Amino acid sequence: MTRDPDRLVLFTDAVVAIAVTLLILPLVEAVTEAAQADETAWAMVHDQKDAIYSFLLSFVVIARFWLTHHRVFEHVKAYNRLLVQLNLLWLLCIVILPFPTEIMGHFQSSRFTAGFYVGTLAVLSLCQTGLTLLIHGHRELEVDENPVTGREVVGSITFSVFSLIAFLLAALVPGVNFYSLFALFVAAPAARLAYRLRERRVSAA
């Protein structure tokens, strides 16, 4: 059975908004604790600099995934059970993200802290790719006049591949930790190159 996707999109947006709000709550609590301990505002900010960094990073990450999710659902005219299940898994990763974010802000960087955080991003990226591939070419789900493009498919798959690479580097290679996230900056140019090569093969065929 297929249905209008508006309710699913509204529910998704609400959950994302709550997750983004949860990111800032530990910093708000830190202000109260610092005031009760008679700390200065500058000392509190200095003490929380790692938590502030992790908050900003996760805010950008969630915003990026939400924008991509929004663009993907512009191609959706209806949803089915599998689409809902994949979307719920995507939301689960969004809701979980404040947890590794809090760990990252308060514990020393290690293969576990980095692997937990980057691994959550990798699963989130795989869910995003799963949604894209499910919608692409699906007559019951995809808007006829606005289908998912090949560029979007290649971009999503490439980002997932580099997310997995970043996770493996963070979790398995000593000393890399959160530096593995720099691998994600390579994803966009790699996706453009992969798409151009794909188009050349199609043209040659």
Side-chain angles (χ1 to χ4, degrees), residues 23-202:
L23 290 174
I24 194 63
L25 292 183
L27 292 175
V28 175
E29 293 175 0
V31 173
T32 303
E33 293 171 359
Q36 292 173 348
D38 292 327
E39 291 185 30
T40 65
W42 169 250
M44 184 275 298
V45 171
H46 183 267
D47 291 342
Q48 296 295 323
K49 62 180 183 298
D50 290 338
I52 293 171
Y53 165 75
S54 61
F55 159 72
L56 293 174
L57 175 62
S58 291
F59 181 88
V60 171
V61 167
I62 291 178
R64 191 263 182 198
F65 274 103
W66 176 79
L67 288 170
T68 304
H69 183 278
H70 181 71
R71 286 195 294 269
V72 168
F73 268 74
E74 289 178 350
H75 304 293
V76 178
K77 65 181 178 182
Y79 67 85
N80 59 14
R81 184 186 296 261
L82 182 56
L83 183 64
V84 171
Q85 291 172 341
L86 268 176
N87 195 72
L88 286 174
L89 185 58
W90 184 92
L91 282 174
L92 175 62
C93 295
I94 291 289
V95 172
I96 287 174
L97 193 59
F99 181 45
T101 298
E102 185 72 358
I103 291 175
M104 180 173 65
H106 290 89
F107 290 88
Q108 186 175 5
S109 178
S110 67
R111 281 187 288 174
F112 174 77
T113 57
F116 188 13
Y117 186 86
V118 181
T120 303
L121 299 188
V123 176
L124 185 56
S125 178
L126 289 171
C127 291
Q128 190 100 41
T129 297
L131 288 168
T132 302
L133 294 175
L134 176 62
I135 297 162
H136 180 56
H138 198 302
R139 293 184 178 180
E140 293 181 349
L141 306 180
E142 192 175 41
V143 177
D144 297 331
E145 300 79 14
N146 185 27
V148 176
T149 65
R151 186 182 297 274
E152 289 174 303
V153 172
V154 172
S156 185
I157 293 174
T158 304
F159 190 82
S160 290
V161 169
F162 277 87
S163 296
L164 287 172
I165 292 172
F167 165 67
L168 293 174
L169 290 173
L172 301 179
V173 181
V176 174
N177 299 336
F178 290 101
Y179 291 112
S180 66
L181 290 172
F182 285 107
L184 301 182
F185 289 101
V186 185
R192 289 193 291 269
L193 176 61
Y195 181 72
R196 285 198 295 268
L197 293 174
R198 175 179 177 270
E199 290 299 293
R200 288 179 182 176
R201 286 197 298 268
V202 173

